[in-house]
Amino acid sequence: MARVVDRSRSLLSEEGPLSHAFYTSGQLFLEEYSALAVLGKAGIGTPHMDGNTRAGSLTGAPVRNVPA
């Protein structure tokens, strides 16, 4: 977690708030969405917030094996 924090701080100071984005799958509770919105928009200042609630229904779909 320290590495994530350090890199996030570095990106914020070098590139600004547009360097960060938040994507959720629709699996969060309302309170969690609210906390994430405050963190992302008010705290960091990024407009890049996507709450793709349709992706939650895709979690049961089979995963395609792709060789590395």
Side-chain angles (χ1 to χ4, degrees), residues 3-21 44:
R3 184 174 180 182
V4 171
V5 171
D6 291 341
R7 183 65 177 140
S8 294
R9 286 182 178 159
S10 173
L11 282 171
L12 283 171
S13 68
E14 294 169 13
E15 305 291 332
L18 298 181
S19 64
H20 284 65
I44 293 176

Side-chain angles (χ1 to χ4, degrees), residues 8-62:
S8 294
R9 286 182 178 159
S10 173
L11 282 171
L12 283 171
S13 68
E14 294 169 13
E15 305 291 332
L18 298 181
S19 64
H20 284 65
F22 292 90
Y23 177 82
T24 61
S25 66
Q27 300 295 317
L28 300 177
F29 292 110
L30 180 60
E31 294 83 0
E32 293 166 328
Y33 280 118
S34 296
L36 183 59
V38 169
L39 173 71
K41 291 181 179 179
I44 293 176
T46 183
H48 304 301
M49 306 284 292
D50 187 359
N52 184 1
T53 55
R54 293 169 292 151
S57 62
L58 300 176
T59 56

